[in-house]
Amino acid sequence: MLRAFQSRDFRLLWTGQAISLLGDAAFVVALGWRTFTLTGSARSLGIVLTFQGVGVLSTVLVGGALADRYDRRTLMLVSDAARFAIIGALVVVDATGHLTLGILLGIAFVEGLATGFFTPALGGLIPLVVEEPRLGSANALIGMARQGSYLIGPSVAALLYGFAGATVVFGFNAVSYLVSFGFVYATRPSAPEHAAGEGTLRDIGAGFRYITGVPWLWVTISLFAFVLMFQWAPIQVLTPKLVREHFHLGVGAYGLLFSAIGAGMILGSVVFAQLNLTRRRGLISYLIWIVNSLLVIVFALSPWYAVSVVAAFLRGICIGFGVTVWETMLMQLVPQHMLSRVVSLDWFGSLGLTPFGLLLAGAVSSLAPPGTIIALGAAISICIIAGGLLSKQIRTID
């Protein structure tokens, strides 16, 4: 599992991302609780997350095309610098007491724009800093960094938020981008096989044509657009309300749920790295996502907070395993000169309907208890994922 650490450049990249992801995880908790306390409305949080998601979707396709044509490391550096400046501005506004919902919406949107350039560049850079046989290890380790951030970050956020308020958590996230910038700058990746430059729109079109010719790609991306809309979006919007109104608890309990997911995700990535699956990965990952959705129902409807924490931990195992399977398949089965575009189209397609889901979850938040809405979305997702197993390509892809 640790073989990828033999590469100096991967060690640098991983360290920078581990710190940056820790800041992101703390930021998610602080953003959710700050928005909810600022407005007292779950609908407002849904709108903020929608603006952030629309920002990502606005640039991720362009980011993928540019990352396949130009230097991916440079794109990551520019994105990190921009996000440092954006979140730094949020720190100043919040510290001076001038934060409003409108300002929060603008910052969330611009931060999403910068992230849209970073994500496909990172996905394309990993194979340039580690050899192909070690990609499974690399993805598991990146997954562990991401998931470890969800274990530690929410607890850090809850602690800092409780003692010093949201401003300090926002500042921690801003500094994490600066640290990431330094580590990415120190890397020296190998030269990639660049795509022939035919113009950004044509490059994006070529990516679309590639995906539509690969059934396991377009089927999975299409289905998960609806899964994230019906399942992930309500969880993001309604969990603060669930914690406060259903369990009658505060920001510490809210952060603990994220930490439980993060702990499970670490274990899920470790299990994948040790198994090093090479057969029936499509079938296995779909079954894992069905189990995850069943656990969402338990998480949402349990009358006991402790049971919800356990369900969150088990969900994390499923998510860590499933995401690592998917990312490794992309890096091993997609040609290098198409990889960043496929990563960007994966993000764009999978998240394309999420803004509607976020708005919908906020709009219906007063019509039923938050747990009921979350569980209904998970039940719909089970049906969608099960439908994907009707495809022979999904059941047989290795």
Side-chain angles (χ1 to χ4, degrees):
M1 187 184 68
L2 303 176
R3 286 187 302 165
F5 276 148
Q6 295 175 7
S7 165
R8 167 195 174 272
D9 289 316
F10 179 78
R11 291 196 303 271
L12 290 170
L13 180 66
W14 184 90
T15 303
Q17 289 313 294
I19 296 170
S20 178
L21 289 166
L22 183 63
D24 288 340
F27 178 74
V28 167
V29 174
L31 177 66
W33 203 258
R34 184 71 178 97
T35 304
F36 189 64
T37 55
L38 181 68
T39 65
S41 169
R43 183 176 302 176
S44 298
L45 177 55
I47 296 173
V48 170
L49 294 175
T50 297
F51 269 64
Q52 186 182 42
V54 169
V56 173
L57 294 174
S58 299
T59 55
V60 71
L61 293 182
V62 175
L66 294 177
D68 277 338
R69 195 191 311 172
Y70 301 113
D71 184 56
R72 293 162 181 169
R73 173 175 166 272
T74 300
L75 285 175
M76 293 169 64
L77 292 173
V78 172
S79 177
D80 270 338
R83 291 187 291 178
F84 167 72
I86 294 162
I87 303 303
L90 175 60
V91 172
V92 173
V93 172
D94 193 41
T96 56
H98 293 94
L99 184 63
T100 64
L101 180 60
I103 292 175
L104 205 54
L105 291 173
I107 288 176
F109 177 73
V110 177
E111 191 272 342
L113 292 176
T115 298
F117 287 102
F118 186 89
T119 301
L122 172 63
L125 188 72
I126 292 174
L128 303 181
V129 297
V130 67
E131 297 82 359
E132 196 276 337
R134 297 173 180 169
L135 280 176
S137 167
N139 281 305
L141 290 167
I142 290 288
M144 287 180 64
R146 182 188 303 119
Q147 294 130 20
S149 72
Y150 280 105
L151 172 64
I152 302 171
S155 299
V156 171
L159 182 64
L160 293 177
Y161 200 115
F163 280 105
T167 303
V168 175
V169 186
F170 296 153
F172 174 67
N173 188 36
V175 172
S176 75
Y177 289 131
L178 196 60
V179 173
S180 171
F181 180 98
F183 278 100
V184 172
Y185 183 80
T187 62
R188 295 295 180 267
S190 61
E193 177 188 349
H194 285 301
E198 300 179 359
T200 301
L201 292 179
R202 289 187 178 182
D203 287 346
I204 294 172
F208 270 112
R209 289 191 296 273
Y210 174 80
I211 286 178
T212 55
V214 183
W216 66 270
L217 277 174
W218 71 259
V219 169
T220 302
I221 292 172
S222 300
L223 290 181
F224 273 81
F226 291 95
V227 170
L228 293 179
M229 180 179 73
F230 285 114
Q231 180 169 290
W232 181 81
I235 292 173
Q236 292 297 107
V237 172
L238 297 173
T239 297
K241 187 176 182 181
L242 182 74
V243 170
R244 171 169 280 188
E245 298 183 1
H246 181 64
F247 296 118
H248 307 290
L249 298 171
V251 65
Y254 178 58
L256 180 59
L257 289 172
F258 283 90
S259 294
I261 292 175
M265 290 169 73
I266 292 174
L267 181 57
S269 292
V270 170
V271 170
F272 172 80
Q274 293 301 116
L275 293 177
N276 195 25
L277 292 178
T278 57
R279 299 296 306 276
R280 297 299 176 98
R281 289 183 289 187
L283 174 63
I284 292 171
S285 63
Y286 269 60
L287 293 176
I288 287 288
W289 291 119
I290 289 175
V291 174
N292 170 69
S293 299
L294 290 171
L295 289 166
V296 170
I297 296 174
V298 176
F299 160 81
L301 297 182
S302 170
W304 303 288
Y305 175 73
V307 173
S308 290
V309 172
V310 173
F313 172 73
L314 296 175
R315 280 191 62 223
I317 295 176
C318 296
I319 295 169
F321 191 94
V323 169
T324 308
V325 169
W326 176 253
E327 291 179 346
T328 302
M329 289 176 68
L330 289 182
M331 293 181 189
Q332 290 181 336
L333 302 180
V334 174
Q336 176 60 228
H337 69 280
M338 296 291 299
L339 182 56
S340 286
R341 274 173 288 177
V342 170
V343 170
S344 69
L345 287 163
D346 174 29
W347 271 70
F348 184 84
S350 298
L351 296 174
L353 297 178
T354 300
F356 299 103
L358 293 168
L359 291 175
L360 179 62
V364 303
S365 61
S366 61
L367 301 180
T372 301
I373 298 172
I374 293 172
L376 178 60
I380 294 172
S381 298
I382 290 172
C383 297
I384 295 171
I385 299 169
L389 289 176
L390 297 176
S391 168
K392 181 180 179 181
Q393 288 84 357
I394 297 298
R395 297 194 308 271
T396 59
I397 184 67
D398 292 331

